[in-house]
C-alpha cells in the first residue's frame, strides 16, 4: 500500500489503484479488499472522504482503477461533495475504470443520495431476499458456462437495467455486471467474493472461501485492465 500524505496524493502516483476508505465504508471490507490486492501483488493507495473531496478530476485520472467497497452507500455518497462525485463521474467518463462492490455498486447508479450515476440514470434495488427479512446469506452466483460459486452476500444490490450480465442470483437477476461509462470500464458486484473466512461463521457454504477470493481477484484484474468477462 502507498499512503497518501496530507489531504491529496502527489501529482504523479506510484499505484494504479485507488481504494476508497471513506466515511460509511466498511473498515472490515476495506481490509478484505486489501487482502485480495496484496495476494494479487497489486500496488494501491487508500483515500478517505476528506482526501477524495480535495482531489481534482486530473488527479483521479492519474489512477487506472477506483474501487469503492461495501458499507452504507448513502453515508459514503453524502460524505462526498457534489463536486467530488461530479469529478469521479467525469474521470470515469475520461478513462478511469471503476469497481463497485455492494455499496459501491449502488453508489455507481443514480442512487437516492449524492451518487456517481455511471449508469445513465439507472437506479438499482436490492436482491429480493431482503423482502423476506434476510440480510446475510450464502448465495450461489451463476456464471456463463461455469459451475455456480457461493459468495457471502449482505444486503447487496441487483443490477437490472444496466450493462452486460456476468453473474446471476438464483432468481435470475443480475449479481455482477460490466459495461462502459464513456472511456471508463465499470464492473459492479452485489456480493462479497472478497469476504474472509470469519465472515462465514454460522453459515453453510459449499464453495471454499479460496474459490470466491480467486473470483474477487478476477474481477479486480478485469476492472483494472478493462477486460470483458464472459457474459450472458
Amino acid at each position: 500500500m502507498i499512503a497518501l500524505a496530507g489531504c491529496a496524493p502527489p501529482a504523479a502516483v506510484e499505484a494504479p489503484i485507488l481504494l476508497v476508505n471513506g466515511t460509511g465504508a466498511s473498515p472490515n471490507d476495506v481490509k478484505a479488499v486489501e487482502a485480495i490486492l496484496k495476494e494479487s501483488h497489486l500496488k494501491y493507495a487508500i483515500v478517505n472522504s476528506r482526501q477524495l473531496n480535495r482531489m481534482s478530476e486530473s488527479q483521479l485520472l492519474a489512477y487506472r482503477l477506483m474501487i469503492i467497497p461495501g458499507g452504507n452507500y448513502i453515508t459514503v455518497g453524502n460524505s462526498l461533495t457534489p463536486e467530488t462525485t461530479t469529478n469521479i463521474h467525469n474521470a470515469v467518463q475520461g478513462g478511469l475504470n471503476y469497481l463497485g462492490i455492494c455499496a459501491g455498486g449502488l453508489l455507481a447508479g443514480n442512487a437516492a443520495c449524492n451518487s456517481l450515476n455511471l449508469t445513465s440514470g439507472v437506479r438499482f434495488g436490492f436482491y429480493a431476499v431482503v423482502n423476506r427479512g434476510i440480510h446475510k446469506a450464502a448465495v450461489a452466483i451463476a456464471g456463463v458456462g461455469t459451475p455456480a460459486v457461493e459468495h457471502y452476500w449482505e444486503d447487496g444490490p441487483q443490477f437490472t437495467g444496466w450493462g452486460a450480465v456476468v453473474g446471476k442470483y438464483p432468481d435470475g437477476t443480475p449479481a455482477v455486471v460490466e459495461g462502459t461509462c464513456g472511456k471508463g470500464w465499470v464492473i459492479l458486484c452485489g456480493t462479497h467474493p472478497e469476504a474472509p473466512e470469519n465472515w462465514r461463521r454460522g453459515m453453510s457454504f459449499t464453495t471454499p472461501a479460496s474459490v470466491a477470493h480467486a473470483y474477487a481477484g478476477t474481477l479486480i484484474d478485469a476492472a483494472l485492465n478493462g477486460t470483458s468477462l464472459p457474459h450472458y
Side-chain angles (χ1 to χ4, degrees), residues 19-170:
L19 175 59
V20 177
N21 183 20
T23 304
S26 163
N28 288 333
D29 200 34
V30 172
K31 290 179 183 177
V33 173
E34 282 193 87
I36 302 298
L37 292 171
K38 290 174 182 176
E39 192 174 296
S40 301
H41 306 290
L42 293 171
K43 290 184 178 180
Y44 63 97
I46 289 183
V47 63
N48 60 33
S49 298
R50 185 180 176 189
Q51 291 169 318
L52 198 51
N53 281 331
R54 297 199 178 194
M55 290 181 72
S56 66
E57 182 182 332
S58 61
Q59 286 175 313
L60 291 168
L61 279 166
Y63 295 88
R64 288 169 55 195
L65 172 65
M66 171 179 282
I67 301 176
I68 297 187
N72 185 317
Y73 75 100
I74 294 175
T75 304
V76 174
N78 289 340
S79 73
L80 304 176
T81 67
E83 181 182 8
T84 298
T85 51
T86 296
N87 284 342
I88 296 171
H89 176 95
N90 291 343
V92 174
Q93 286 272 343
L96 172 67
N97 296 337
Y98 180 90
L99 173 61
I101 301 170
C102 196
L106 284 162
L107 199 66
N110 182 23
C113 63
N114 183 32
S115 64
L116 305 178
N117 191 19
L118 306 178
T119 59
S120 299
V122 176
R123 178 175 294 186
F124 302 122
F126 294 92
Y127 175 43
V129 295
V130 298
N131 298 325
R132 306 203 309 264
I134 298 171
H135 298 285
K136 296 181 182 181
V139 179
I141 303 301
V144 178
T146 60
V149 175
E150 282 189 329
H151 293 237
Y152 178 89
W153 170 90
E154 183 174 351
D155 286 333
Q158 54 88 7
F159 301 107
T160 297
W162 184 84
V165 179
V166 174
K168 293 182 179 181
Y169 287 112

